[in-house]
Amino acid sequence: MKASVRLMLCVAVLVSIQVFDLVAQMRQQRIDSAAAMLETLVETYGVSGDEDRVRSAVEDLLPDWADPSVDSAGNLWVRVGSGDPVVVFVAHLDEVGWEITDIRSDGKLAIRQRGGFMPWLWESSPALVHTRSGQIPGVFTPRDGAVEYRQASDGFVVDVGTSTALQTEQLDIAVGDKITNPKKFVRLAGNRATGRSFDDRVGSTAQIMALHSLDPDGLDHEVIFLWVVEEEIGLIGARVAAGALGFQPVRVYAVDTFVSADSPHDAQNFAVTPLGQGPVARGVDNSSVTPPAVLDTLVRLARRRGLPLQVGTTNGGNDGSAFQAYGVVDVPIGWPLRYSHSPVEVIDLADLVVLADLIKAIAEEW
């Protein structure tokens, strides 16, 4: 009898180990799949006003059953289900960068920012000019007295190696072309990854992943997924989408970065949401306040689904605030991000996977 009990216990332990290993393998497969999708979007360039390539990349990653459409502003729409209530998810396609304002007589490019960031982070670094015919390499030139003028946004230009305006124009470079750093998605130790434009390629990826996991015939109401343009320069695409939908939606979930103080140099008294501990619901930011009752409902939903969810306040705005003029409740959700709007943003890929699961749960139960 005792031997039988010992045998049963041994079998139970072995089965438990195998189940644990299988769950861990499945979790890692999801993380690897998310990383591959995110890599595609991160390594696609799209400064505000130049999002066509990113929109095409998102379309290519959508499930086969999706029927995407593009509005006059360049926003990408996918509708799932039908009937009330109408629930909206919105991520943005654009990234911060620069725009050429003038080609100087010495061939160098005068530039202006597109989006809010610390320009000195780009100074003395490689540049990439995005022209109608392709990409032209260059450099963001260092300024004289760069330490003295570190916080200033003027005083440095882009040099593509030419000596005259004519030589630059012969490269098919024109005023209005966008400029970025070259960028690459890089996986770090564990589930961490670094790159540029995680804002908002992570949100865009999470929405795609959620669509792949949804049963399009299983919803009892309409859910609209939006990927909008020109968020970084004033929520321009979101305002167009909000105007088109008017008073129809009952709720909008802006899927975007939560700028976290989870970094070595930030004060630990505001916006502390550690990487790897799940997505984040914004209670307050500079553009919106989530009603406490709605926030509580979201927290309960996450708990029912066994999903870790952090709640915090941070700076910045979100696309959902464009819908508030129509009485739509704005509930921003996202993931914790270190070093926002820099060339070395850092995320935990596990947070992305859980964020996709949270979007699916909200779509089903809102």
Side-chain angles (χ1 to χ4, degrees), residues 16 20 26 33 36 58 60 64 75 105 111 131 136 139 154 170 188 209 228 231 257 296 313 316-317 327 344 348 359:
S16 297
F20 179 82
M26 292 174 63
S33 176
V58 169
D60 290 343
D64 292 338
N75 300 321
S105 60
I111 54 178
T131 75
I136 305 296
V139 295
D154 59 353
Q170 287 174 340
L188 304 175
M209 292 174 63
V228 298
E231 185 268 355
T257 301
D296 290 344
T313 59
V344 291
D348 193 300
I359 293 171

Side-chain angles (χ1 to χ4, degrees), residues 47-48 95-99 112-117 178 233:
V47 176
S48 298
E95 64 192 80
V96 298
W98 303 84
E99 182 179 74
R112 67 164 177 159
Q113 286 183 235
R114 303 300 279 165
F117 55 91
K178 305 302 189 294
I233 57 173

Side-chain angles (χ1 to χ4, degrees), residues 65 205-215 225 355-361 363:
W65 54 260
T205 301
Q207 292 195 165
I208 297 168
M209 292 174 63
L211 273 172
H212 276 277
S213 65
L214 275 175
D215 176 5
F225 288 83
L355 177 60
D357 290 342
L358 180 64
I359 293 171
K360 176 179 183 289

Side-chain angles (χ1 to χ4, degrees), residues 74-301:
N75 300 321
L76 181 66
W77 296 61
V78 173
R79 295 174 180 264
V80 191
S82 61
D84 293 326
V86 177
V87 176
V88 177
F89 293 94
V90 54
H92 64 87
L93 296 168
D94 58 322
E95 64 192 80
V96 298
W98 303 84
E99 182 179 74
I100 299 172
T101 59
D102 186 36
I103 300 175
R104 302 190 336 183
S105 60
D106 62 0
K108 295 181 176 58
L109 307 174
I111 54 178
R112 67 164 177 159
Q113 286 183 235
R114 303 300 279 165
F117 55 91
M118 294 175 284
W120 50 268
L121 290 172
W122 303 59
E123 191 172 357
S124 304
S125 69
L128 206 57
V129 184
H130 302 277
T131 75
R132 291 165 294 183
S133 55
Q135 298 172 344
I136 305 296
V139 295
F140 292 96
T141 62
R143 293 170 291 175
D144 293 334
V147 173
E148 182 179 351
Y149 299 106
R150 190 175 185 188
Q151 299 299 332
S153 62
D154 59 353
F156 64 101
V157 295
V158 170
D159 183 354
V160 294
T162 58
S163 301
T164 67
L166 178 59
Q167 290 175 347
T168 299
E169 290 165 354
Q170 287 174 340
L171 295 173
D172 203 24
I173 294 174
V175 170
D177 285 345
K178 305 302 189 294
I179 305 178
T180 65
N181 289 122
K183 58 176 179 169
K184 186 174 178 60
F185 174 86
V186 178
R187 292 194 67 167
L188 304 175
N191 293 323
R192 300 292 164 87
T194 186
R196 191 176 62 71
S197 73
F198 283 159
D199 177 8
D200 187 24
R201 302 296 198 271
V202 175
S204 295
T205 301
Q207 292 195 165
I208 297 168
M209 292 174 63
L211 273 172
H212 276 277
S213 65
L214 275 175
D215 176 5
D217 299 320
L219 296 177
D220 60 3
H221 63 105
E222 184 175 32
V223 180
I224 300 172
F225 288 83
L226 291 168
W227 290 263
V228 298
V229 299
E230 298 183 301
E231 185 268 355
E232 300 290 1
I233 57 173
L235 314 184
I236 294 173
R239 296 184 193 282
V240 172
L245 288 170
F247 299 97
Q248 295 178 54
V250 295
R251 202 165 291 174
V252 58
Y253 295 86
V255 186
D256 204 344
T257 301
F258 186 94
V259 179
S260 176
D262 181 28
S263 69
H265 63 269
D266 286 323
Q268 298 298 290
N269 59 355
F270 178 70
V272 180
T273 52
L275 274 63
Q277 295 189 20
V280 190
R282 295 191 202 182
V284 179
D285 67 16
N286 297 106
S287 68
S288 68
V289 177
T290 305
V294 175
L295 197 58
D296 290 344
T297 299
L298 181 59
V299 170
R300 286 195 295 269
L301 171 61

